[in-house]
């Protein structure tokens, strides 16, 4: 494969050792990938980019001095310095190109030859310490001891560590999806429009993510960038899985096409939901180009599946026409990808080997289209039913209002001349593809690609020699273009996050409908309530947590200070945040005349809560003595839905009440 950058980030060796020592290897994590010496690839690329930027700054300064001075000796010295700088820049760019193409070719073991695919490298990252920020947030906002959540924080850290080296399989995709779902839960519980987990993703010495195309480190404090990077890696892992498939069999081509479709879907979703990316590989232009590239590679797999020899299906004229149109469709899509790659700003950071390979593929498949058209013309006379299909290949579908006359040659000699013209265009295109292949230093080392191009050229030359007669003195016919058309329409497939079920790591904090950073509350109790003749004097509704829907004036509950809208979080010292309505009612009915001890939570109205650094005495008292805290903030009972990523957008804070079950009175 050409430039498949499947590497781990800098310092991967020692961190992988720590991961294995901790015994936290997860299913879907490829721990061997982190132990390879190639794990330092990204840091080397980043260092070269820094040197290039330094040389560019020196060149800019020298050019300004050259234009500003009129001294001949100074201008001569500056011109000499500029030549040195340009030479250094050229050497650095060549070294960077070598690194971009020095990765392993990821071709499966098989017989035969197929055109190599372009897989995408992962956005790599370094280890991240969640503990300090999460402990402060749990203590400051949720009123609980942050140190008691060491196990949950360690589980989250181990999960993030595992997704750094996912295996190239369904298990690796499930691992990335599970981490993405956990980030969504983390977003819903800890993040508000005024509060983010920025402290988690800001480290001056360890950048958060490396750009997949350039290796330049990108840093962003928003949790949305972490979610976007994981979604990008899901798409990249699909490309790696697709590139590894054995496309020499129908099953392999189908699996490869599906993988590239899913990759295109991931990049499409990321482009729609993400904005203002801090790294080039996640910019809208790059994501659009990657989506087109994966769609073209999926279409190429469709053509390869149709090209496989099937003993029960003879290669008649109609089959060759279908192949010609499918090849033209692949060529047309690769031409669009090539145009996207050479446009700024994409052209400044897409590897040159990618651009060259896409251009070679466009020429190659355009030539194959002419080759199959020539075979359809010359091998056997078309049947009456095939004449219409033959015309559509060369002329395209005409409107029904226009009269259709038979415009293709009927005699064998005329078909032979037209087929020969198509073979000539095929030969010229394949020679051009070989020339482009030879110009790329990286592609010259891909012997498999050269073998495919050479084999196609030899087939065209053999066919041409069979049709070329000694007495051919006529003027060569101009072969028309082949109309692109596919008989299997491919659609991008967005990732299905719901297929991977995950449990909220911070489940102990309580249901998200109440216990999230969007809400503020005060803890009341323990409150002792005795049973009267009519019960405790309140009505309950809802599940997890159970809501006090009404309080009877003058009853025992009202006398104890309970209010309508309180949530019961503890019954006789037993936490009941996750209890169902029936469980709480059964517990209350089982108490005797001595009554029951309840703890409740009252949601507070107001604006956004204070920052996690606010250490109010009332909160410390809540932790020690469970006294009431007088903070005043927002009241939504149910967390409002958030965008998929929430990047650079103002979240809507809808205040909606959650659905409650029918009223019950214990």
């Amino acid at each position: 494969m050409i430039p498949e950058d499947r590497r781990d980030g800098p310092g991967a060796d020692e961190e992988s050792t720590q991961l294995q020592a901790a015994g936290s290897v997860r299913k879907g994590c490829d721990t061997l990938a982190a132990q390879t010496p190639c794990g330092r690839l990204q840091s080397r690329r980043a260092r070269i980019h820094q040197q290039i930027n330094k040389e560019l700054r020196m060149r800019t300064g020298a050019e300004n001095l050259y234009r500003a001075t009129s001294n001949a000796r100074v201008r001569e010295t500056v011109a000499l310095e500029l030549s040195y700088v340009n030479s250094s820049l050229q050497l650095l760019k060549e070294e960077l190109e070598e690194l971009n193409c020095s990765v392993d070719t990821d071709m499966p073991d098989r017989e035969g030859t197929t055109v190599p695919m372009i897989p995408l490298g992962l956005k790599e990252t370094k280890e991240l310490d969640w503990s300090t920020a999460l402990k402060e947030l749990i203590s400051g906002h949720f009123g609980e001891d942050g140190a008691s959540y060491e196990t949950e924080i360690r589980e989250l850290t181990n999960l993030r560590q595992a997704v750094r080296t996912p295996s190239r399989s369904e298990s690796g995709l499930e691992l990335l999806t599970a981490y993405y779902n956990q980030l969504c839960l983390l977003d819903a519980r800890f993040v508000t429009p005024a509060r983010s987990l920025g402290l988690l993703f800001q480290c001056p010495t360890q950048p958060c993510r490396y750009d997949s195309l350039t290796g330049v480190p990108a840093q962003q404090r928003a949790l949305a960038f972490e979610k976007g990077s994981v979604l990008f890696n899901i798409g990249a892992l699909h490309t790696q899985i697709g590139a590894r498939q054995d496309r020499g069999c129908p099953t392999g081509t189908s699996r490869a096409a599906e993988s590239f479709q899913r990759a295109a879907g991931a990049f499409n979703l990321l482009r729609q939901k993400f904005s203002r990316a801090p790294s080039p590989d996640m910019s809208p232009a790059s994501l659009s180009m990657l989506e087109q590239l994966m769609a073209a590679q999926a279409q190429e797999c469709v053509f390869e599946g149709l090209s496989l020899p099937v003993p029960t299906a003879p290669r008649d004229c109609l089959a060759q026409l279908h192949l010609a149109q499918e090849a033209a469709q692949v060529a047309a899509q690769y031409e669009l990808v090539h145009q996207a790659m050479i446009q700024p700003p994409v052209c400044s950071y897409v590897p040159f080997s990618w651009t060259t390979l896409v251009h070679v593929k466009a020429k190659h498949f355009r030539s194959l289209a002419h080759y199959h058209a020539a075979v359809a013309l010359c091998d056997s006379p078309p049947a009456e039913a095939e004449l219409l299909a033959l015309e559509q290949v060369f002329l395209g579908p005409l409107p029904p209002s226009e009269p259709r006359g038979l415009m293709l040659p009927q005699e064998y000699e005329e078909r032979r001349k037209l087929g020969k013209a198509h073979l000539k265009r095929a030969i010229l295109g394949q020679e051009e593809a070989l020339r482009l292949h030879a110009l790329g230093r990286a592609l010259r080392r891909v012997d498999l690609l050269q073998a495919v191009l050479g084999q196609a050229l030899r087939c065209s030359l053999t066919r041409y020699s069979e049709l070329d007669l000694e007495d051919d003195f006529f003027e060569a016919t101009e072969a028309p273009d082949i109309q692109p058309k596919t008989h299997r329409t491919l659609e991008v497939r967005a990732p299905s996050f719901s297929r991977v079920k995950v449990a909220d790591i911070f489940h102990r904090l309580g249901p998200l409908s109440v216990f999230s950073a969007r809400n503020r509350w005060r803890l009341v109790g323990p409150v002792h309530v005795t049973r009267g003749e009519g019960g405790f004097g309140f009505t309950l509704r809802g599940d997890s947590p159970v809501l006090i829907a009404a309080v009877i004036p003058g009853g025992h509950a009202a006398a104890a200070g309970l209010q309508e809208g309180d949530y019961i979080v503890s019954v006789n010292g037993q936490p009941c945040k996750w209890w169902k309505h029936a469980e709480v009612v059964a517990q209350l009915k089982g108490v005797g005349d001595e009554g029951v001890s309840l703890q409740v939570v009252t949601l507070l109205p107001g604006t956004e809560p204070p920052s996690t650094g606010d250490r109010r005495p009332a909160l410390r008292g809540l932790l020690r003595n469970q006294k009431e805290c007088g903070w005043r903030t927002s009241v939504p009972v149910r967390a409002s839905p958030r965008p998929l990523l929430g990047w650079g957008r103002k979240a809507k804070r809808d205040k909606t009440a959650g659905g409650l079950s029918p009223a019950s009175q214990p």
Side-chain angles (χ1 to χ4, degrees), residues 26-43:
R26 291 176 176 261
K27 181 182 178 181
C29 175
D30 186 5
T31 56
L32 295 178
Q35 303 176 32
T36 60
C38 297
R40 305 183 184 89
L41 175 67
Q42 290 286 32
S43 60

Side-chain angles (χ1 to χ4, degrees), residues 403-415:
R404 178 181 294 276
L406 200 59
M407 303 178 64
L408 291 177
Q410 299 298 301
E411 300 297 330
Y412 171 76
E413 183 63 22
E414 295 177 347
R415 292 200 309 272

Side-chain angles (χ1 to χ4, degrees), residues 225-242:
F225 180 50
E226 180 78 356
K227 293 167 65 178
S229 298
V230 176
L231 183 55
F232 184 94
N233 283 352
I234 290 175
L237 193 59
H238 274 300
T239 69
Q240 297 178 11
I241 294 174

